[in-house]
């Protein structure tokens, strides 16, 4: 809401020294935040109101004239670009920019010779003064305008406009009067609502009376109509147009401007119908099925049954509270209007305006609640102003239908309730004073209570807590002391703990955390395929980038890698931890989707090297990350099973693994491997990438306690073992073969080599080198014992037909 | 006469022993490894070494002559061992000197992977969680996909309430929404357990805003304390404690009246600007952080509205409480002097690498 400080000063008795900044500060601390102050008219200086003394044609230019004028000092002769016939006669008032004056846009006036005549400055048009959009001649001011005064000050151009952020609970503050009430309370001064003008009252001509019927009082608790006749549409007076402009409202014609002006003054939206375009009586009702209406903007709109319409004998002529109709609009030829002042059901207005995308100053106020009790004043004020500015008269007494009487609300404020909520004591007498200042009267109710009467313009104040807030904001929130709450909670494990443990491990492993959007383009999920393709769709996405909730963290990481590659960062290690959203099966949509937490990592490019570039990342780099993250999550010995057996759409069939906790066939806790090259093509990443995904919910939340074991006291012996074996036999299978010997002193088996050089290794085979460690807990082993045990292990290995031991 | 019977010449024997030491010293002077030296030592002092050879004659000496010869043998042995030790020490010195002659360019880069980084939004979340954990708050989370009831109705924001415009909401299939604030976690917590409650609820929320200063997803931190006799002063004290811990000691907190449907009274929370210490001036000019106001807006707060308590089955006569909420992106921007909100979501590792 834009509040003109000039206007505010008219309504509210502020001492001359009170500045717009100080008012803004006080309003902000009272809950009406002033977001900015626009200082208007600062670029227009030195322009004076001048009286025309004489006009004559320019001696050497037909289209120019010479105006003799005075602005409090000596007479001057100014060359004017308008023909003499368009200028006011002697005694008229014009805007004179003498040498030294500045105009909007930075133009500075001086003394110039124009076609042989010296001209001190110029006479200004509205466009040159920054007042209007069309430049039809120079500005002519009303003859009663004082001569010699500063124009900007005189017409209210010099103003400060406060942009007040009015919260949705305060419809009373959506007007200059409402803000004046607050400011008066804050400065402990008085304010007033301007009374209606004294204007001509005419009897209603025969046949011009119009009846109003409210068919649905829940849609419209009050509807007042007045008829003003004998009008002539014209431009509004300059000061009024300047004031509307300051408040961000475009001036149109006096008949429309008045409704806007009174709305800005009182907070009551008003609508003027062209009386001659109405037929029969007016009915306020809900729209009928299939009803349509052409709104002011010329669009023919289908209506719905909850919409509130104002209708005449032919049908809907306005959407109540939202917008007028094109067929009953006032125009330049309008001579009589029906002025509507009403209130409508806030929720219906909100639904209609939202559905049609028609948000107006009127709908903004109606959806927050317009005070039915203020209707009579607003209607009378606007009607009188219309009559005055349009040269017409009020015809008849007007109609006021008010089927649902609104009453002030009784709310009790207790001293105990006030002190308990505030945390400090405010005497009830002070509370009563503060409430009275904003129009809430109260009387003591016993020793420790106030019975308050909340006027209808404060629909937000309904319970004691609301009164507490009113009192507290007026005494100042800064009065409240600060103390720490008594008692203490019992900190429990954070539900994010496994996620944070995963984050710490991944960061320690050299990866950078990213945070990507929870919603992704549909194409990303389509690329993933399988069950990941179907995500929870956003029904009103902002753009195609945010269409559907992510079902996997992979596409977001790939996208992040692409962006970094595009910035010439070739070696990338990223991770993300967060929920993925899993849609329920079609027959189970009543349940919310599940949101399992996942941790995912992506490697692209080379492993961190030194001086000369080192090798490209491969499966074993991402496996290291998998191992360490799982260790941090309490899974010491995860089992990696080739994904080739249970193909995942995400991973390369030959270079991917499922991760199980504990033993093979144990709970699936994740997957790891090279990203499927076809998926990378679909996602547009032109480099190999390696991916890890851990299902944090499957890992479990509790950190497992560490049970320590003393280090071995006796030495170990090791034996190396080298053999050829079929390439299909995995290291885990080889390990299982050797462990099948069940040698109790065999304590560790480690792979040293897996080589597949075609020149040295027989076809279909690979060369393996293991080192086996033997140790007993209670004594030092003899060489003979170790040799014997090792021989049994080798024998067990050789039970596999494809093994050939090498010496 | 057989030579076996002949007693050795003692003087010659002692002379031989004494000469051995000198011969050994000459021999190892040319040797350059410990192994060669030890072999040479064995040739002299071993079981079949030269000292032992000479000492075989000892048994044939008259007992009264033996001590002099034994003494000579010990002398030779000590001399040889001394020469070995000296020689080995010299060699070790030479090795050490050679080792010490190595020079590494210590300005070459380190080997191996650098530490990775946590996201700045994670860092501020954890810092703020830590502050409130210290006050006895627990951390709670809730789902992204929410019911309108949890997100609005239970928070005293019925359908068609204009306050719903304060948060332009995303709707998803299945009649649900993406939560537009973390406040539904309040509702979920109060529905599942009785008072007293002390929680903070971090998490991402979603609103239909996408411009330079708004992202459609952003992280919030919600706080809720419900107990007997909780007042506005407790709220103010808690926020003041937070500001002191997060922004710095001695900074003030300002609560400004405002409106949220789920609190009454409601407040916007400002912290004194840490850059200009609340003066509005830094280096003699209008402070760039608070734009000269001396205050920075950090969130919203208020006393829990009785209708919220009613919605979750708490008795508003029996308990009271406060709630607060703040945007973590704003906290991170203030904390790390990040100018562009978008940098949190552009995944630029050159940006992210700063947060070690």
């Amino acid at each position: 809401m834009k509040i003109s400080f000039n206007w505010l000063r008219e309504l509210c008795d502020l001492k001359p020294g009170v500045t717009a900044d100080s008012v803004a500060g006080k309003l902000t601390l009272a809950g009406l935040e002033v977001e900015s102050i626009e200082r208007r008219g600062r670029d227009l200086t030195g322009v004076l109101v001048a009286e025309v003394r004489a006009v004559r044609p320019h001696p050497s230019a037909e289209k120019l004239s010479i105006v003799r004028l005075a602005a409090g000092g000596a007479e001057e002769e100014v060359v004017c670009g308008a023909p003499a016939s368009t200028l006011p006669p002697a005694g008229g008032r014009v805007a004179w920019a003498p040498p030294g004056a500045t105009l909007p846009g930075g133009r500075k006036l001086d003394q110039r010779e124009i076609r042989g005549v010296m001209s001190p400055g110029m006479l200004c048009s509205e466009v040159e003064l920054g007042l209007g959009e069309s430049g039809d001649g120079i500005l002519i001011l009303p003859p009663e305008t004082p001569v010699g005064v500063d124009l900007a000050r005189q017409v209210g151009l010099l103003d400060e406009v406060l942009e007040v952020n009015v919260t949705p609970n305060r419809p009373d503050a959506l007007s200059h009067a409402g803000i004046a009430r607050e400011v008066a309370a804050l400065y402990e001064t008085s304010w007033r609502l301007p009374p209606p003008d004294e204007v001509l009252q005419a009897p209603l001509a025969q046949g011009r009376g119009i009846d109003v019927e409210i068919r649905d009082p829940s849609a419209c608790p009050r509807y007042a109509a007045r008829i003003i006749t004998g009008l002539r549409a014209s431009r509004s007076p300059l000061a009024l147009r300047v004031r509307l402009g300051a408040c961000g409202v475009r001036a149109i014609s006096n008949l429309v401007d008045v409704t806007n002006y009174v709305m800005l003054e009182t907070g009551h939206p008003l609508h003027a119908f062209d009386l001659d375009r109405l037929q029969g009586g007016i009915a306020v009702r809900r729209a009928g099925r299939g009803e349509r209406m052409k709104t002011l903007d010329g669009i023919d709109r289908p209506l719905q049954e909850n919409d509130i319409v104002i209708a005449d004998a032919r049908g809907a002529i306005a959407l109540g509270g939202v917008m007028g109709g094109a067929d009953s609009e006032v125009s330049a030829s309008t001579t009589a209007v029906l002025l509507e002042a009403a209130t409508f059901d806030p929720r219906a207005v909100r639904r209609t305006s939202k559905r049609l995308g028609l948000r107006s100053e009127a709908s903004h106020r109606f959806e927050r609640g317009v005070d039915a009790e203020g209707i009579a004043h607003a209607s009378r004020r606007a009607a009188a102003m219309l009559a005055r500015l349009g040269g017409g008269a009020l015809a008849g007494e007007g109609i006021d239908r008010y089927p649902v009487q609104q009453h002030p609300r009784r709310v009790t404020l207790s001293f105990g309730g006030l002190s308990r909520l505030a945390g400090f004591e405010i005497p009830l007498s002070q509370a009563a004073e503060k409430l009275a200042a904003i129009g809430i009267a109260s009387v003591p109710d016993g020793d420790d209570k106030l019975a308050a009467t909340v006027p209808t313009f404060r629909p937000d104040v309904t319970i004691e807590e609301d009164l507490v807030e009113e009192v507290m904001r007026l005494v100042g929130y800064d009065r409240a002391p600060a103390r720490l709450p008594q008692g203490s909670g019992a900190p429990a494990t954070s539900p994010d703990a496994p996620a944070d443990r995963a984050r710490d491990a991944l960061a320690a492993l050299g990866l950078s955390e990213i945070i990507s959007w929870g919603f992704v383009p549909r194409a990303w999920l389509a690329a993933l395929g399988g069950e990941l393709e179907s995500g929870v769709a956003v029904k009103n996405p902002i753009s195609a980038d945010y269409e559907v909730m992510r079902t996997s963290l992979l596409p977001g990481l790939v996208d992040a890698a692409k962006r970094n590659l595009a910035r010439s960062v070739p070696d990338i290690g990223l991770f993300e931890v967060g929920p993925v959203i899993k849609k329920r099966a079609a027959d189970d949509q009543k349940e919310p989707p599940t949101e399992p937490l996942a941790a995912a990592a992506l490697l692209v490019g080379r492993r961190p090297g030194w001086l000369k570039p080192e090798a490209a990342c491969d499966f074993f780099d991402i496996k290291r990350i998998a191992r360490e993250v799982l260790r941090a999550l309490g899974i010491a010995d995860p089992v990696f099973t080739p994904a080739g057996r249970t193909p995942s759409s995400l991973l390369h069939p030959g270079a991917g693994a499922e991760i199980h906790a504990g033993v093979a066939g144990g709970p699936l806790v994740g997957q790891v491997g090279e990203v499927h090259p076809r998926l990378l093509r679909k996602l547009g990443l032109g480099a190999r990438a390696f991916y890890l995904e851990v299902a944090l919910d499957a890992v479990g939340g509790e950190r497992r306690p560490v049970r320590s074991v003393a280090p071995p006291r006796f030495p170990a012996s090791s034996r190396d073992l080298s053999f050829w074996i079929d390439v299909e036999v995995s290291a885990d299978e080889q390990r299982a073969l050797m462990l099948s010997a069940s040698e109790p002193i065999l304590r560790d088996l480690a792979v040293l080599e897996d080589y597949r050089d075609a020149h040295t290794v027989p076809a279909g085979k690979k060369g393996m080198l293991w080192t086996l460690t033997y140790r007993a807990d209670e004594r030092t082993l003899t060489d003979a014992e170790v040799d014997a045990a090792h021989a049994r292990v080798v024998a067990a290995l050789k039970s596999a037909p494809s093994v050939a031991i090498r010496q | 006469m057989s030579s076996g019977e002949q007693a050795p010449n003692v003087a010659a024997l002692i002379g031989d022993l004494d000469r051995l030491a000198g011969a050994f010293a000459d021999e190892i002077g040319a040797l350059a490894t410990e192994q060669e030296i030890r072999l040479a030592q064995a040739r002299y002092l071993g079981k079949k070494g030269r000292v032992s050879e000479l000492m075989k004659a000892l048994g044939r000496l008259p007992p009264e002559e033996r001590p002099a010869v034994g003494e000579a043998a010990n002398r030779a042995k000590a001399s040889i061992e001394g020469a070995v030790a000296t020689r080995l020490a010299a060699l070790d010195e030479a090795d050490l000197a050679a080792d010490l002659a190595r020079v590494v360019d210590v300005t070459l880069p380190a080997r191996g992977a650098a530490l990775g980084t946590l996201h700045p939004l994670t860092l501020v979340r954890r810092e703020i969680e830590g502050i409130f954990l210290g006050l006895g708050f627990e951390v709670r989370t809730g789902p992204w996909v929410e019911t309108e009831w949890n997100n609005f109705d239970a928070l005293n924001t019925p359908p068609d309430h204009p306050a719903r415009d304060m948060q332009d909401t995303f709707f998803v299939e299945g009649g649900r929404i993406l939560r537009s604030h973390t406040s539904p976690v309040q509702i979920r917590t109060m529905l599942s357990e009785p008072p007293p409650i002390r929680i903070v609820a971090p998490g991402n929320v979603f609103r239909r805003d996408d411009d330079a200063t708004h992202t459609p997803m952003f992280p919030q931190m919600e706080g809720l304390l419900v107990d007997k006799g909780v007042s506005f002063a407790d709220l103010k004290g808690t926020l003041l404690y937070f500001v002191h811990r997060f922004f710095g000691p001695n900074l003030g907190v300002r609560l400004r009246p405002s409106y949220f449907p789920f609190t009454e009274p409601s407040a916007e929370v400002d912290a004194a600007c840490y850059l200009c210490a609340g003066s509005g001036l830094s280096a003699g000019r209008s402070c760039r952080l608070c734009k000269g106001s001396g205050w920075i807006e950090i969130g919203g707060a208020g006393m829990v509205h009785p209708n919220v308590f009613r919605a979750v089955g708490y008795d508003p006569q029996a308990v009271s409480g406060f709630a607060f909420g703040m945007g973590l992106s704003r906290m991170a921007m203030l904390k790390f002097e990040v100018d562009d909100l978008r940098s949190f979501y552009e995944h630029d590792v050159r940006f992210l690498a700063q947060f070690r």
Side-chain angles (χ1 to χ4, degrees), chain A residues 702-714:
Chain A
E702 293 306 306
R703 187 191 282 273
R704 228 170 285 167
V706 173
R707 302 279 180 237
S708 72
V709 177
R713 293 172 54 213
F714 295 93

Side-chain angles (χ1 to χ4, degrees), chain B residues 149-174:
Chain B
W149 194 85
N150 280 343
N151 194 80
F152 287 124
D153 301 64
L155 290 158
N156 196 32
T157 317
D160 299 318
H161 194 289
R164 288 203 174 191
D165 284 351
M166 293 163 91
Q167 302 173 1
D168 196 356
T169 310
F170 284 109
F171 294 85
V172 298
E173 57 183 320

Side-chain angles (χ1 to χ4, degrees), chain B residues 177-194:
Chain B
I177 60 167
L178 299 182
R179 64 176 178 190
S180 58
H181 48 183
T182 41
S183 307
V185 182
Q186 287 184 22
I187 300 301
R188 287 172 172 272
T189 305
M190 289 191 282
L191 281 175
S192 64
E193 52 201 88

Side-chain angles (χ1 to χ4, degrees), chain A residues 28-33 167-169 346-347 350-351 354 359 367-368 419-424 463 465-470 472-473 477-496 499-501 503-504 506-519 535-543 546 548-550 556 559-560 563-564 567 569 571-575 578-579 581 583 589-593 595 608-611 614 624, chain B residues 108-123 125-126 129 133 135-146 159-166 168-176 178 188 198 202 204 206-210 215-218 225 227 229-238 240-241 254-259 263-268 270 297 303-307 310 316-317 320-322 342 344-350 352-353 356:
Chain A
T28 296
L29 288 181
L32 291 161
E33 186 189 2
T167 51
N169 59 323
R347 291 179 307 160
R350 185 176 145 79
R351 273 199 286 266
K354 214 175 170 183
R359 311 311 277 271
E367 8 182 290
R368 283 157 174 75
S419 321
R420 262 198 308 278
L421 205 53
F424 65 105
I463 56 174
E465 284 80 358
D466 297 324
L467 287 178
V468 171
E469 180 177 74
E470 292 305 307
M472 282 183 67
R473 74 181 180 88
Y477 277 10
D478 57 344
R479 282 275 314 279
R483 62 166 172 258
L484 282 179
Q486 299 298 302
S488 64
T493 320
S494 150
D496 222 28
D500 271 346
R501 290 218 298 279
R503 283 188 181 95
D504 285 336
L506 288 159
L509 288 161
L511 307 184
S512 292
E513 184 181 18
I514 65 158
I515 293 176
S516 69
W517 305 127
F519 21 47
V536 174
V538 178
K539 283 156 86 176
N540 55 341
I542 300 181
S543 77
Y546 320 113
V548 53
M549 302 309 290
R550 67 186 181 193
D559 175 61
R563 289 160 180 256
N564 281 293
R567 298 176 192 122
V569 178
D571 304 317
I572 302 152
L574 300 173
F575 76 91
I581 314 297
K583 198 172 176 171
Q589 298 269 332
K590 284 219 167 60
E591 290 297 307
E595 304 193 6
W610 187 72
L611 293 185
E614 300 213 346
R624 164 173 172 265
Chain B
L108 284 173
R111 179 180 287 120
L115 277 181
T117 52
L118 292 173
H119 196 280
L121 296 175
T122 297
L123 295 176
R125 170 180 62 77
R126 285 191 179 180
E129 278 178 8
L133 284 170
L135 286 177
F137 285 66
E138 296 177 31
V139 179
R140 294 297 169 87
T141 57
W144 287 357
V145 177
E146 260 296 0
D160 299 318
H161 194 289
R164 288 203 174 191
D165 284 351
M166 293 163 91
D168 196 356
T169 310
F170 284 109
F171 294 85
V172 298
E173 57 183 320
R176 291 186 170 77
L178 299 182
R188 287 172 172 272
R198 271 183 198 222
N204 279 311
F206 302 84
R207 292 185 199 170
R208 299 189 72 245
D209 277 331
D210 197 4
T215 51
M217 178 184 98
F218 59 96
L225 186 146
D227 208 337
V230 179
S231 76
F232 195 80
D234 297 311
L235 167 62
K236 194 166 174 181
T238 302
L240 190 65
Y241 175 82
R254 182 174 77 170
L255 298 177
R256 269 187 291 121
S258 186
Y259 170 71
T263 49
E264 189 76 31
S266 302
E268 296 281 353
D270 298 336
E297 203 172 311
M303 304 304 295
V304 179
H305 197 286
N307 287 349
R310 283 185 197 106
Q317 298 299 318
S320 57
F322 64 72
R342 294 266 151 189
F344 294 132
Y345 302 102
E346 284 171 347
H347 319 312
D348 190 328
V349 294
R350 298 165 302 178
L352 298 171
R356 294 199 195 277

